[in-house]
Amino acid sequence: MDLLKTKQQISSYIIDSQEEEIKRISLELHEGVGQNLYSILTGLQFVESSTAEPHMKNYLREMSLLIKKTIQEIRLLSVELHPPALTTLGLLPAIKSYISCYTSTFGIVVEIESEGPERLIPEKNSIAVFRVCQEALANIAKYADTSHVKMNFIWTENELTIAIHDFGKGFQPEEQNDSMRLSGLAAMKERMLLIGGQCKISSKLGEGTSIEISLPLK
């Protein structure tokens, strides 16, 4: 029993350390790299407005468009790594923010519903639930072959339950030999166990995959 507890403590420490580093990288991308690129863009636009040579003007305009695209990609990556809304606004707004990026990237429409008043969740738990949802949606984009996902948040006084169904092609877990998918599913379950929650996964061929996440709130 002590060995299991020690293993969980080590896993929790590793995950917490990873999250701190991810948060740092996200901030550096947004505040550092993103701001530097914006300064370069402003300079290019100034030079473009100052030159009368058509060829040079077109070249500078193309470079400006490329930098704008890169700034947008960095912002999306920063949000994916650690959405600011997760710290400032809470879990549900952060999920909605991520879904907006997810839909624009993969073309998968995520229908999200929430029942009951949203409850305050400690940041560590909020991050863990967010990562599990993120991994679930990433797996859907990779494997499910679907264009529609439904997410239901149910808030009660004592528990948060999140149900995710992808309406995709599904799989048979007992016959699944895809090590990448299996490791992802195992990581989702472990993350929830470390914060006292659960993650249950069920799937049927032709009917899609369902994931149920539950987290005690007291």
Side-chain angles (χ1 to χ4, degrees), residues 41-184:
L41 174 63
T42 303
L44 279 175
Q45 289 172 334
F46 175 76
V47 174
E48 180 192 338
S49 66
S50 303
T51 184
E53 206 279 306
H55 179 73
M56 180 59 70
K57 216 171 182 65
N58 288 336
Y59 175 75
L60 290 168
R61 189 175 293 116
E62 287 176 5
M63 289 299 98
S64 294
L65 289 172
L66 179 60
I67 291 176
K68 281 182 182 178
K69 184 173 182 292
T70 305
I71 290 171
Q72 180 63 19
E73 288 173 351
I74 285 173
R75 283 176 178 166
L76 290 174
L77 179 58
S78 177
V79 168
E80 187 174 51
L81 285 171
H82 188 89
L86 193 59
T87 303
T88 57
L89 300 177
L91 177 63
L92 189 56
I95 292 288
K96 289 179 177 178
S97 174
Y98 176 71
I99 284 172
S100 178
C101 297
Y102 177 84
T103 299
S104 66
T105 302
F106 298 108
I108 300 173
V109 175
V110 182
E111 179 187 349
I112 185 166
E113 294 180 357
S114 182
E115 300 176 27
E118 184 178 1
R119 306 290 299 281
L120 185 64
I121 301 174
E123 186 176 2
K124 179 180 177 179
N125 293 1
S126 185
I127 289 171
V129 174
F130 178 85
R131 291 297 181 216
V132 172
C133 291
Q134 192 177 41
E135 180 68 24
L137 289 169
N139 283 338
I140 288 168
K142 288 177 187 175
Y143 305 112
D145 190 22
T146 186
S147 59
H148 178 216
V149 176
K150 190 166 184 179
M151 292 184 72
N152 285 92
F153 283 67
I154 301 173
W155 304 84
T156 67
E157 186 177 350
N158 298 316
E159 186 178 55
L160 165 63
T161 303
I162 304 172
I164 306 171
H165 187 69
D166 64 26
F167 303 96
K169 61 185 180 182
F171 67 96
Q172 292 180 322
E174 67 275 7
E175 296 178 7
Q176 182 58 234
N177 57 8
D178 190 322
S179 60
M180 288 293 288
R181 183 187 290 194
L182 287 176
S183 64

Side-chain angles (χ1 to χ4, degrees), residues 177-194:
N177 57 8
D178 190 322
S179 60
M180 288 293 288
R181 183 187 290 194
L182 287 176
S183 64
L185 298 179
M188 290 161 63
K189 291 180 177 181
E190 183 177 8
R191 271 190 184 269
M192 291 309 301
L193 284 173
L194 288 172

